[in-house]
Amino acid sequence: MISVYSPDEKRPNRMTDPDFIKNMNLKAVIYCRVSSLNQVRDGSGLASQEQRCREYAIKLGLEVVRVFTDSKTGEGDFLKRPGMRDLLTFVGRKKREKYVVIFDDLKRIARDTMHHWRLREALASRNALLRCLNYDFDETPEGRFFETLLAAQGQLEREQQGRQTNQKMKARLESGYWVFKAGHGYDYQKAGVGGGKVLVRDEPIASIIETALHGFASGRFASPQDVKMYLDERDDFPKDKHTGEVRYETVDRLLRRVLYSGYLEYPKWGVSLRPGHHPPLITLSEHEAIIEKLDGKKKSFTRKDEHPDFPLRGFVACGDCGKPMTGGWTTKSNSRYGYYRCQTKGCPFSGKSIPRAEIENGMHDLLKTVAPSEEVLNIAAAMIDDVIDVQQTETKQSAQAAKKDLAEIEVSTSALIDRIAAASSMNLIEAYEKRLLELERQKPFLEEKLAVLSACEEQRDENIELAMELLASPCKIYKKGDHKVKRLIAKLVFECPIRYCKKKGYRTPKLSLPFRSLGQKTKANSKMVPLKGLEPPTPSLRMTCSTS
């Protein structure tokens, strides 16, 4: 235990005198602190500190009335620690009562010289006495000098430890591993090779965020407000407002977070954009599209007639006026019923409801009639094969161009590094470094483009199979798909909205160009034209020829 006294006379410590403690009627409060929550979960740091301080209080004959704890460093500032703030409030609320603040080590006060003395003054102004298990406070000039040295030593250790931690974290970031809080959609898992932890998907939150990001990038969600409404409706997504809603700030952070694209960057430490060792939720191109929409560089547009409960709303038209029908729900006897209806003023069928099942099942039956012959399908397969060959040739050319761009970036990067090493002007060096960062940021996009082009080449057979399935039986894809797929199939097969009559059902539709080109016919509401035609027969006319 360190003891510092006046060089002239060694003063007795009155805090070890039982009579002095009894006359002063002092009470004790204990302060314990650890640097992180991991020490609270994994160890017994707070419990062991409290036990040692209680034993010390018993030796002094003091009654412990409160125990205050902290599980964070506060970066040297004691005001950033809630436990210390509560302690100051407690010992200062009754001026007539005096307390002895007990802690086990001098570093528990503040590992910062300035904040150490500020805290000492704050406690002294509240008539609180300090007792430490491994240090005796001495108010002589020599005692204060040694106390300052110990506080400075604690600050040095804290700053050195922080520097080493930051260096290790930066090195791990440069290797492609995220080191900060995982955030929504990810969780940390111990890596099997090389140690450390790596981000993995945290379901079902990851899938919810993936849908939200895809939807905003594709235009399904026209604004961040639409994304917020989607997240509010998902019970599995954590809410950060007492009303059970998600904050707008949270939505903005989710949309702007590059981590969801499988990449990471940290400009504060000079870590540029690079691939990460964690599963992506979206592509880097989708992330850039989201940023452009948020910053106003790209306007989004979503049709108002699209709704997951009514996929054919706006596509099916009224059989009388030809205007698109709308769709909606009605409630009766605590049950909901979906209907399509015409709302055109002046139409005889305005306000007349058609059950949703009739419209959507009727579309499925109508698609069944689009059935080409086997010969037509064989011709279509040959045509599609030729088209895909052309596309693959273009894909290979695009891949070669991307590889060429990557090689040029490597050459430019090497040249810029040489120029930076030879430059003497700081302005010139900064300009070179700025250009170097721009080139480094272009590389991930080109690498992702190459990966996408390679995947397209490998999906040749799959693309042909999907195209043939659409031509052979669009009704099967329609039946299995969601509202977007159903709407897409209807638009691909039919050239324009189809009229639906409440009494007769669907009118004869007009097929789109690909299906007309293959000679496909629909059987819905169609009849053969009589051989003699629709008009009365014309008498035969005599014809004369110049030859016999």
Side-chain angles (χ1 to χ4, degrees):
M1 184 177 295
I2 302 174
S3 300
V4 180
Y5 301 100
S6 170
D8 299 328
E9 181 181 2
K10 186 175 181 180
R11 302 185 312 179
N13 190 346
R14 294 184 300 172
M15 281 303 301
T16 59
D17 186 357
D19 294 333
F20 172 77
I21 295 174
K22 184 177 180 179
N23 294 334
M24 291 293 293
N25 192 25
L26 299 175
K27 296 180 180 180
V29 295
I30 294 175
Y31 179 72
C32 309
R33 180 176 67 85
V34 292
S35 301
S36 65
L37 288 173
N38 290 334
Q39 292 178 275
V40 178
R41 292 190 294 261
D42 302 337
S44 57
L46 291 176
S48 61
Q49 289 182 39
E50 181 180 346
Q51 180 181 359
R52 293 177 59 205
C53 292
R54 285 187 178 276
E55 293 175 354
Y56 185 78
I58 292 174
K59 291 181 181 179
L60 297 179
L62 294 173
E63 176 189 359
V64 178
V65 293
R66 285 288 298 273
V67 177
F68 298 91
T69 61
D70 274 315
S71 57
K72 59 184 299 186
T73 64
E75 299 177 356
D77 188 356
F78 63 90
L79 292 177
K80 293 182 179 180
R81 299 186 233 139
M84 180 56 74
R85 292 198 304 267
D86 294 342
L87 187 150
L88 292 173
T89 302
F90 179 80
V91 299
R93 65 183 179 180
K94 295 181 180 180
K95 296 184 178 180
R96 293 184 179 181
E97 294 185 1
K98 290 188 177 183
Y99 296 93
V100 179
V101 181
I102 303 175
F103 49 94
D104 73 328
D105 190 90
L106 190 65
K107 296 177 182 178
R108 307 297 178 193
I109 298 181
R111 299 180 69 179
D112 182 277
T113 307
M114 181 184 69
H115 290 296
H116 176 93
W117 287 110
R118 283 182 57 196
L119 179 58
R120 291 271 272 115
E121 292 173 2
L123 290 170
S125 65
R126 292 165 173 78
N127 294 323
L129 301 176
L130 282 177
R131 292 302 297 165
C132 179
L133 274 63
N134 61 0
Y135 181 81
D136 286 337
F137 290 98
D138 186 4
E139 298 302 327
T140 63
E142 293 80 6
R144 294 176 67 87
F145 171 75
F146 280 106
E147 186 176 343
T148 301
L149 289 179
L150 292 175
Q153 181 183 359
Q155 178 177 344
L156 176 63
E157 292 175 356
R158 176 178 61 83
E159 293 176 350
Q160 288 178 333
Q161 184 179 3
R163 181 178 61 189
Q164 293 175 359
T165 301
N166 290 346
Q167 289 173 346
K168 294 177 181 178
M169 293 171 67
K170 181 181 178 180
R172 193 158 177 79
L173 279 172
E174 292 174 338
S175 300
Y177 293 93
W178 189 246
V179 296
F180 303 107
K181 185 178 179 181
H184 296 314
Y186 286 117
D187 195 8
Y188 278 111
Q189 187 179 68
K190 289 186 177 180
V193 181
K197 294 184 178 181
V198 65
L199 290 178
V200 295
R201 290 175 65 108
D202 182 20
E203 296 294 354
I205 301 176
S207 296
I208 294 174
I209 296 177
E210 184 176 7
T211 302
L213 296 177
H214 278 304
F216 189 74
S218 63
R220 173 187 173 189
F221 301 125
S223 66
Q225 170 68 22
D226 295 334
V227 178
K228 178 182 179 303
M229 293 175 62
Y230 168 76
L231 296 178
D232 289 340
E233 295 172 355
R234 306 278 80 80
D235 295 334
D236 294 329
F237 191 82
K239 310 300 188 294
D240 47 12
K241 293 180 68 175
H242 67 279
T243 56
E245 296 178 326
V246 180
R247 297 182 185 275
Y248 284 101
E249 296 82 359
T250 302
V251 176
D252 187 72
R253 284 197 301 270
L254 291 176
L255 293 175
R256 293 183 179 276
R257 201 176 191 197
V258 71
L259 201 68
Y260 293 130
S261 66
Y263 288 75
L264 58 85
E265 65 178 344
Y266 198 67
K268 182 179 178 180
W269 288 353
V271 180
S272 60
L273 187 69
R274 63 198 62 212
H277 296 281
H278 59 277
L281 305 185
I282 56 173
T283 65
L284 188 60
S285 300
E286 287 177 313
H287 171 74
E288 287 298 310
I290 290 173
I291 298 300
E292 288 180 359
K293 290 176 66 175
L294 291 175
D295 295 341
K297 298 178 182 179
K298 183 178 180 181
K299 294 184 179 179
S300 58
F301 175 75
T302 302
R303 294 185 59 90
K304 294 182 179 180
D305 54 12
E306 290 189 8
H307 193 280
D309 295 337
F310 301 92
L312 300 180
R313 188 171 74 177
F315 186 79
V316 176
C318 174
D320 191 88
C321 66
K323 300 295 183 181
M325 288 187 180
T326 184
W329 293 95
T330 60
T331 304
K332 184 178 180 181
S333 302
N334 296 327
S335 298
R336 298 176 71 206
Y337 301 92
Y339 291 97
Y340 286 86
R341 58 176 62 89
C342 175
Q343 292 185 339
T344 305
K345 293 182 179 180
C347 177
F349 289 97
S350 178
K352 300 295 179 64
S353 299
I354 303 174
R356 185 178 64 158
E358 289 186 15
I359 295 286
E360 296 176 7
N361 293 339
M363 176 61 71
H364 179 261
D365 295 337
L366 186 61
L367 289 170
K368 284 183 178 179
T369 64
V370 184
S373 64
E374 186 175 352
E375 295 178 356
V376 171
L377 284 178
N378 293 333
I379 296 173
M383 294 171 61
I384 292 174
D385 194 55
D386 293 339
V387 171
I388 291 183
D389 284 339
V390 174
Q391 290 180 344
Q392 283 196 325
T393 302
E394 295 176 351
T395 299
K396 291 179 180 179
Q397 292 175 353
S398 298
Q400 291 175 357
K403 291 179 180 178
K404 182 179 178 182
D405 292 339
L406 277 173
E408 291 177 355
I409 287 178
E410 292 293 341
V411 173
S412 300
T413 299
S414 300
L416 283 172
I417 293 174
D418 294 337
R419 291 179 182 179
I420 291 173
S424 57
S425 172
M426 289 302 300
N427 293 333
L428 198 58
I429 291 175
E430 290 178 359
Y432 288 153
E433 289 178 345
K434 184 178 180 181
R435 176 57 181 161
L436 189 62
L437 289 175
E438 292 176 356
L439 293 175
E440 288 293 330
R441 191 170 182 84
Q442 292 177 13
K443 288 175 61 177
F445 292 95
L446 291 172
E447 292 170 352
E448 183 181 80
K449 183 178 180 180
L450 276 174
V452 172
L453 292 173
S454 300
C456 290
E457 292 183 9
E458 296 174 357
Q459 293 175 350
R460 171 190 172 92
D461 295 337
E462 183 179 346
N463 293 335
I464 294 177
E465 182 180 352
L466 182 61
M468 292 304 300
E469 183 180 359
L470 173 62
L471 293 174
S473 182
C475 62
K476 291 183 180 180
I477 303 178
Y478 174 89
K479 186 177 181 179
K480 294 185 294 183
D482 58 9
H483 74 284
K484 280 184 170 292
V485 172
K486 291 180 178 179
R487 190 176 184 86
L488 179 62
I489 292 298
K491 288 183 177 181
L492 288 174
V493 176
F494 305 110
E495 187 174 84
C496 57
I498 313 172
R499 292 194 176 195
Y500 186 91
C501 181
K502 185 176 177 64
K503 296 180 179 180
K504 298 182 179 180
Y506 280 103
R507 301 284 182 87
T508 302
K510 186 177 181 181
L511 295 176
S512 61
L513 180 60
F515 288 86
R516 290 204 313 270
S517 301
L518 295 176
Q520 302 190 72
K521 305 291 183 181
T522 61
K523 304 174 184 177
N525 296 336
S526 61
K527 296 181 180 180
M528 295 295 293
V529 178
L531 295 176
K532 294 184 179 181
L534 301 177
E535 299 179 359
T538 303
S540 59
L541 300 176
R542 177 177 293 182
M543 299 179 64
T544 58
C545 300
S546 59
T547 58
S548 58

